[in-house]
Amino acid sequence: MTRRTTSVARGFRVGTVAALVVACLVALFGPAAVSAQSGADAGRLVIDRVDARGESTVVEGALVGAEPSGLTATVDGEPVDVASVAALGEQGLANDVIAVIDNSGSLPNAAVQLAKQALEPLMPGQGAVARLGVVTTGGGAEVVVGPTDNASRIRSALQGVEPVGISATWDGVVRAGALLDGTSGATTPTVVLFSASAAAAGEARAANAGSALQRVGARLDAIVLPMGTDGAQLPEIVADVGGTLQVIDSDEEIGTAVRNIADGLEGRFRATLPTTVEPGSVVPLSLEVGELTAEVGFSPGFVRVGADELAPVVAGGSGGIFANELIRWLALLLAVTAAVMLVWAVVSLLVRDRSDLTSRLEVYDESYGAEPEVELGHASNISVPMLQRAVDLTGELADQRGLREKVEIMLERANLPLRAPEAIFFLLAASLVLSLLGLLLTGSLLGAVVALVLAIMLPVAVVNFMIRRRQKEFVGQLPDMLTLLAGTLRAGYSIGQGFESVSGEVADPMGRELRRVVTETRLGRPLEEALEAVAQRMGSDDFSWAVMAIRIQREVGGNLAELLLTVADTMTQRERLRRDVSTLTAEGRISAIIIGLLPPGLGVVMFFMNPEYISELFTPGTGYALIATALVSMAIGFAWMKKTITIEV
């Protein structure tokens, strides 16, 4: 009763601690989430670019419903004077716009005509746009008219735009970026995209489109009809390069959406602030005019563009410990662990604890069954009933697949104190957790698959490494062990006494294996069988030959001590030859390692230096095919080089 009460109390304590941890994390993350959401809904004042590379900080954005001259700024919690504010039409500030129109054949003609008519607010001379160009995506990207300030020319060129072919949306955005290349520093380059169908044609991908816009410093104002369009990739591009994304329900809303874009372009401004903070941190910046407020975070010495890079931070510069992404992930992992502990505490209250004193004494009760529940030699290291049942189920499945015996042999060779079902269960559980973590971190199925493969392969590789290291140590100790055994035989010991004496003198793993031989012979197992079991367990041909020599000598007679010394000398010479071969093939092994690690190493470096460039490999179709081809080629080359430098002695 006392033990059961202690278990229940322990369960309550674990549950209480877990609940407190979860509550603390919710309290820590809750205000941050509310603050971020509030920043996202901050009126019609938007900041989409902060250039803090010079002596002054240049802030660009859009203001609708107020005059830019009334802007006030706060940097790192301290008010600063706005040195100058340039609105549209002042100091040469203007907008160059390229409209990318989806006119694929899957759209009704009415939608295409409405998209053409909706461009009227963007026509040059209307006040918002200095120059306008048009690119269509139906049947491939085509420049209808280049950037021009002639509205009549644009209207004339639009008359020939009709629904045709399959949409090449990303090619159209890339062409638009090329048309905006070379714009002056006083111009705000903008791409206005109308998309209503998936990008099923063209060579470019979403990453190419984002790179093209980033290269020329262009914003993206997208209007999307959710009719199979690439809605998942457009928000990422808009967040990277700045701009807006409007999802409309019907083609009748195209005109209103374009009007909103025109209002934002007409309210473009550029404010210059003095740089009052030192480089090296993310600094909060707030602009206010009337009741409108916009909050972002910028880095002195860098240019930040888009919602992701300009995400608001907590005033004070660092944003607290949770400004670090790694800290946030560790906190999330802690929250998941706390939730698991909470569930464990509840289950501990509901499931009977079979480790109590009454259960232990049941095996001595005459009324209890004749067969004990636990067989000798198969005691488990797990005392939690729920986990024990899961391990037992894993063991049954492993038996059905013939996997249990193989895993037991590996664990025994590596000298790991684990049962095969326990090792398989924890390997599967860790693989599942790491694959889910990979999916959360990368946001792609490929990342989850890579994490799953690594979670399965790395433990197996570590166990194999431990086996090889132990086998190498065993073979290296064999000549000395045979020499000591021969000395004991010359001193008058029997072969059994000799093994018992030597087992206490040599180090592990040889000493451990010999002590096991001595124990087995005391229990009645023949000496030769116990020694053969050691040879099979350690996978040592040299030890098998030594056992064969002992077996032959015991059958035909002779001087066993001299025979063992001869075998030891032969093994010493073979080990010397192995080391000579290893020295001669060292250059080939290092070359294989360097060549094998070079491609993934360069891939990691390129990912950090230019992620947009390397991201092309991680796209379905050609990218996945190239990755698979590269992996297969690397495997073939590595296997070929390994075969070349492997020499059996």
Side-chain angles (χ1 to χ4, degrees), residues 337-381:
T337 305
V340 172
M341 292 172 62
L342 183 60
V343 174
W344 185 3
V346 174
V347 172
S348 299
L349 299 177
L350 301 178
V351 179
R352 183 186 178 189
D353 187 0
R354 297 293 299 174
S355 62
D356 57 17
L357 182 59
T358 303
S359 300
R360 292 174 180 268
L361 293 176
E362 282 180 348
V363 296
Y364 302 101
D365 191 353
E366 295 181 357
S367 61
Y368 192 69
E371 295 293 333
E373 290 186 357
V374 180
E375 297 179 2
L376 294 176
H378 294 279
S380 174
N381 297 319

Side-chain angles (χ1 to χ4, degrees), residues 97-104 133-147 166-181 190-195 197-213 215-216 218-221 230 234 237:
V97 178
I98 303 296
V100 181
I101 300 177
D102 184 353
N103 65 323
S104 60
V134 180
V135 176
T136 58
T137 63
E142 179 182 354
V143 179
V144 177
V145 59
I166 303 175
S167 178
T169 304
W170 305 129
D171 282 2
V173 176
V174 171
R175 293 292 297 274
L179 292 175
L180 290 171
D181 195 6
T190 303
V191 174
V192 176
L193 170 65
F194 166 64
S195 177
S197 58
E203 299 179 356
R205 297 291 182 267
N208 304 115
S211 299
L213 297 179
R215 186 166 53 252
V216 298
R219 302 168 59 257
L220 177 63
D221 291 322
D230 301 272
L234 278 173
I237 300 177

Side-chain angles (χ1 to χ4, degrees), residues 395-537:
E396 294 176 3
L397 295 176
D399 283 335
Q400 295 175 3
R401 298 293 185 271
L403 186 63
R404 181 170 185 166
E405 184 177 357
K406 297 179 181 178
V407 176
E408 285 179 347
I409 293 175
M410 291 181 62
L411 295 175
E412 195 171 21
R413 287 182 173 179
N415 193 29
L416 292 176
L418 278 176
R419 297 168 59 230
E422 294 173 356
I424 298 174
F425 171 76
F426 287 119
L427 176 63
L428 295 178
S431 302
L432 178 60
V433 172
L434 290 178
S435 61
L436 292 177
L437 189 59
L439 181 62
L440 291 174
L441 290 175
T442 62
S444 66
L445 184 61
L446 180 61
V449 172
V450 171
L452 178 63
V453 172
L454 291 178
I456 294 176
M457 293 182 62
L458 284 180
V460 176
V462 170
V463 172
N464 286 330
F465 172 77
M466 295 176 65
I467 292 174
R468 289 193 299 270
R469 184 179 64 178
R470 194 163 182 263
Q471 289 175 337
K472 186 176 181 179
E473 293 176 354
F474 183 85
V475 172
Q477 293 173 326
L478 187 54
D480 293 336
M481 186 276 291
L482 294 177
T483 302
L484 286 175
L485 183 60
T488 60
L489 294 178
R490 285 179 170 178
Y493 283 69
S494 67
I495 186 67
Q497 293 173 332
F499 275 113
E500 183 176 358
S501 175
V502 171
S503 65
E505 298 294 333
V506 298
D508 292 340
M510 178 65 73
R512 179 184 179 88
E513 294 298 329
L514 293 184
R515 286 191 293 272
R516 181 169 176 174
V517 169
V518 172
T519 302
E520 290 177 351
T521 54
R522 287 176 178 174
L523 294 175
R525 188 175 188 181
L527 177 63
E528 291 82 356
E529 290 185 10
L531 294 175
E532 285 290 349
V534 173
Q536 294 177 3
R537 189 161 53 248

Side-chain angles (χ1 to χ4, degrees), residues 96 123-125 129-133 145-154:
D96 280 353
M123 288 295 174
V129 177
R131 296 191 303 165
L132 176 65
V145 59
T148 178
D149 57 2
N150 190 331
S152 299
R153 179 185 171 191
I154 298 172

Side-chain angles (χ1 to χ4, degrees), residues 528 547-558 560 563:
E528 291 82 356
V547 175
M548 186 183 302
I550 294 174
R551 184 190 297 273
I552 293 174
Q553 190 276 338
R554 298 188 72 178
E555 292 180 357
V556 302
L560 181 56
L563 179 60

Side-chain angles (χ1 to χ4, degrees), residues 216-259:
V216 298
R219 302 168 59 257
L220 177 63
D221 291 322
I223 303 170
V224 175
L225 264 172
M227 297 166 51
T229 189
D230 301 272
Q233 295 169 313
L234 278 173
E236 297 179 2
I237 300 177
V238 172
D240 289 338
V241 303
T244 60
L245 175 64
Q246 302 180 69
V247 180
I248 58 179
D249 296 327
S250 64
D251 48 19
E252 286 83 3
E253 300 179 17
I254 299 176
T256 304
V258 175
R259 180 71 261 176

